[in-house]
């Protein structure tokens, strides 16, 4: 334990990577056993201490982040990447706030999901229990370190974090700060571990499960990372491959509302997975809504790539290609298309979307209900921005990620989604005939 802790602090690799990773897995499994039995009071005390330590060490976090921002700029990284990497005082404060919000959530561990009495007198209950050890593989967002650690601890899980190389220093400071808070509450430091190397082989060992230590992997990053994780993982994965999100402006949409929603959905933060990448405008609303929406986006600094009808309303619109419709731009670029009503909008989303987050703007409740029922995405919205695709905005305090699969977890992955269940059966001496 001491050797690994020192390795974290000094950013050195103690011996070869595989033994180190297997050692981390064993420590995490031991810590998970303690966390599974920890009381809500103790876990909340640890979370409060973690938040307080983040606040106390805010300048250390920011100093490390400045170094990494400077290095990223020197490498020519684009602004969307810089935005994902960057922390400032407000974002560090938001990390601490998020941890406290997680502490305030009901403890899912031990919750009785259902119970019933059998004719033979057996009482059967389905009870929430932690998953065990969660592996998080992420790239440029250092705040994931705090979000993931808080959610895992609250749900009774140990976590092994593997940050990207360009956010490693910031993530390291955050992780070491958090483990201080965990220890302060009397829980094992190994409840939160950051892989102390940026060697890519560490990812491979995590995907193999570290000898059975890891119960689930959550990738947070670009398409290449997620594709690798989903292709190579020998353990279950909570993930989304891309966030190709849509806003459909239906014919009876209020123009002012549509403008507010579309601008926020695209431009609030262009590099997040909930950013809208395609705007669909109903043909019946095109004469009144299309030009104002396009003009607004362009004047906000967004490049618009549109079909022929969209190009006809503004000479600044570039021609959209077939490759633009399924593209996750993660930048100030949007694809715009005019569609023939609700059916074509839904068909477009089904063909080109990624089952992440899609929205309709309309005053027609029946059309909204049909859209919400038929669009097969993890998150569907009526008259709201796609950028609400976030665990914090769902009241979960934070999220480990957005899952678009169909098994176990879908949408924001919060404390409940980081649990499974077991059946508890109580009898009075019954035997089966």
């Amino acid at each position: 334990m001491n050797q690994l802790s020192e390795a974290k602090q000094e950013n050195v690799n103690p011996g070869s990577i595989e033994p180190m990773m297997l050692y981390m897995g064993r420590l995490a499994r031991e810590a998970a056993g303690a966390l599974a039995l920890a009381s809500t009071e103790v876990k909340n005390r640890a979370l409060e201490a973690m938040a307080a330590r983040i606040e106390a060490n805010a300048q250390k976090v920011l100093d490390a982040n400045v170094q990494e921002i400077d290095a990223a700029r020197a490498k020519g990284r684009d602004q969307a990447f810089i935005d994902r990497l960057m922390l400032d005082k407000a974002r560090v404060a938001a990390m601490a706030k998020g941890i406290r919000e997680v502490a305030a959530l009901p403890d899912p561990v031990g919750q009785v999901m259902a119970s019933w009495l059998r004719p033979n007198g057996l009482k059967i209950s389905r009870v929430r229990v932690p998953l065990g050890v969660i592996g998080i593989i992420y790239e440029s967002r250092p705040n994931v370190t705090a979000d993931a650690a808080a959610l895992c601890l609250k749900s009774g899980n140990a976590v092994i974090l593997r940050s990207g190389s360009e956010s490693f220093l910031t993530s390291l400071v955050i992780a070491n700060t958090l483990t201080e808070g965990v220890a302060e509450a009397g829980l094992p430091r190994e409840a939160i571990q950051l892989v102390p190397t940026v060697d890519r082989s560490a990812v491979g060992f995590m995907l193999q499960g570290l000898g059975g230590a890891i119960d689930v992997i959550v990738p947070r990053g670009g398409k290449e990372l997620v594709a690798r994780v989903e292709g190579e993982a020998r353990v279950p994965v909570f993930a989304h491959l891309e966030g190709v999100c849509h806003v459909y402006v239906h014919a009876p949409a209020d123009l002012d509302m549509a403008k507010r929603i579309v601008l926020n959905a695209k431009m609030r933060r262009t590099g997040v997975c909930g950013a809208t990448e395609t705007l669909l405008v109903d043909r019946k609303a095109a004469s009144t809504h299309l030009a104002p929406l396009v003009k607004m986006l362009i004047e906000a600094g967004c490049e618009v790539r549109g079909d022929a009808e969209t190009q006809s309303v503004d000479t600044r619109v570039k021609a959209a290609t077939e490759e633009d419709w399924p593209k996750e731009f993660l930048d100030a670029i949007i694809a715009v298309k005019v569609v023939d009503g609700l059916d074509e909008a839904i068909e477009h989303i089904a063909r080109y979307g990624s089952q992440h987050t899609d929205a309709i703007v309309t005053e027609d409740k029946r059309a909204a209900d049909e859209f919400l029922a038929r669009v097969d995405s993890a998150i569907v919205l009526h008259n709201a921005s796609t950028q609400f695709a976030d665990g914090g905005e769902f009241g979960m305090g934070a999220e480990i990620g957005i899952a678009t699969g169909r098994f176990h977890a879908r949408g924001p992955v919060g404390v409940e989604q980081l649990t499974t269940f077991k059946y508890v059966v109580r009898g009075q001496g019954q035997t089966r005939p």
Side-chain angles (χ1 to χ4, degrees), residues 6-299:
E6 290 171 7
K8 282 184 179 181
Q9 296 285 352
E10 298 173 11
N11 187 21
V12 297
N13 183 356
S16 66
I17 293 173
E18 184 176 14
M20 177 191 72
M21 297 299 297
L22 292 172
Y23 180 54
M24 290 182 71
R26 289 196 297 274
L27 292 176
R29 180 56 66 189
E30 292 170 6
L35 287 174
L37 300 176
S39 68
T40 302
E41 179 186 2
V42 169
K43 290 189 290 187
N44 288 345
R45 191 161 66 239
L47 289 163
E48 175 55 42
M50 288 159 61
R53 293 279 184 161
I54 287 288
E55 290 169 336
N57 289 281
Q59 195 55 53
K60 289 182 181 179
V61 174
L62 292 173
D63 288 346
N65 191 245
V66 166
Q67 292 182 56
E68 294 189 311
I69 291 291
D70 289 344
R73 286 190 172 129
K75 292 179 180 177
R77 289 292 195 171
D78 61 32
Q79 189 53 45
F81 181 92
I82 298 296
D83 180 62
R84 293 193 295 273
L85 178 62
M86 186 190 72
L87 295 178
D88 54 22
K89 289 182 179 180
R91 290 185 181 181
V92 173
M95 279 197 291
K97 180 174 180 286
I99 294 171
R100 291 193 173 99
E101 288 174 352
V102 171
L105 294 172
D107 189 345
V109 179
Q111 286 181 359
V112 178
M113 303 166 67
S115 64
W116 57 95
L117 187 66
R118 296 290 296 147
N120 61 4
L122 289 177
K123 183 178 181 181
I124 303 175
S125 301
R126 188 162 61 242
V127 181
R128 288 194 185 278
V129 295
L131 288 170
V133 177
I134 315 295
I136 315 290
I137 301 170
Y138 55 108
E139 293 181 324
S140 57
R141 294 183 187 277
N143 61 296
V144 171
T145 310
D147 291 348
L151 290 167
C152 287
L153 192 137
K154 180 75 178 197
S155 54
N157 296 289
V159 63
I160 296 176
L161 301 153
R162 201 283 185 178
S163 75
S165 59
E166 286 166 298
S167 63
F168 177 78
L169 290 177
T170 310
S171 298
L172 181 66
V173 174
I174 294 170
N176 286 335
T177 297
L178 296 174
T179 58
E180 291 172 5
V182 170
E184 185 180 318
L187 291 173
R189 285 179 177 269
E190 294 77 21
I192 301 168
Q193 297 182 80
L194 180 79
V195 175
T197 177
V198 296
D199 191 296
R200 294 174 70 104
S201 66
V203 172
F205 293 123
M206 290 181 69
L207 298 181
Q208 296 301 308
L210 301 185
I214 292 181
D215 294 288
V216 67
I217 291 281
V218 184
R220 288 287 299 271
K223 183 177 180 179
E224 289 185 7
L225 169 65
V226 178
R228 179 190 175 189
V229 170
E230 291 188 322
E232 298 180 18
R234 298 290 183 89
V235 295
V237 175
F238 295 162
H240 71 269
L241 190 61
E242 292 178 290
V244 184
C245 305
H246 299 75
V247 172
Y248 168 47
V249 177
H250 188 228
D254 177 82
L255 178 58
D256 287 338
M257 179 188 289
K259 289 171 72 174
R260 290 196 305 273
I261 289 173
V262 170
L263 185 64
N264 182 268
K266 176 70 251 185
M267 298 300 288
R268 174 187 165 269
R269 289 185 70 183
T270 60
V272 298
C273 62
T276 287
E277 306 293 17
T278 298
L279 169 64
L280 303 174
V281 179
D282 197 299
R283 191 174 304 280
K284 292 180 180 178
S287 62
T288 54
H289 289 40
L290 183 59
L293 288 168
V294 169
K295 181 174 183 288
M296 172 198 70
L297 286 164
I298 292 173
E299 291 182 351

Side-chain angles (χ1 to χ4, degrees), residues 297-318:
L297 286 164
I298 292 173
E299 291 182 351
C302 184
E303 177 184 316
V304 176
R305 301 178 184 178
D307 61 1
E309 289 183 67
T310 305
Q311 287 182 275
S312 71
V313 302
D314 196 306
T315 57
R316 295 171 292 179
V317 176
K318 297 181 179 180

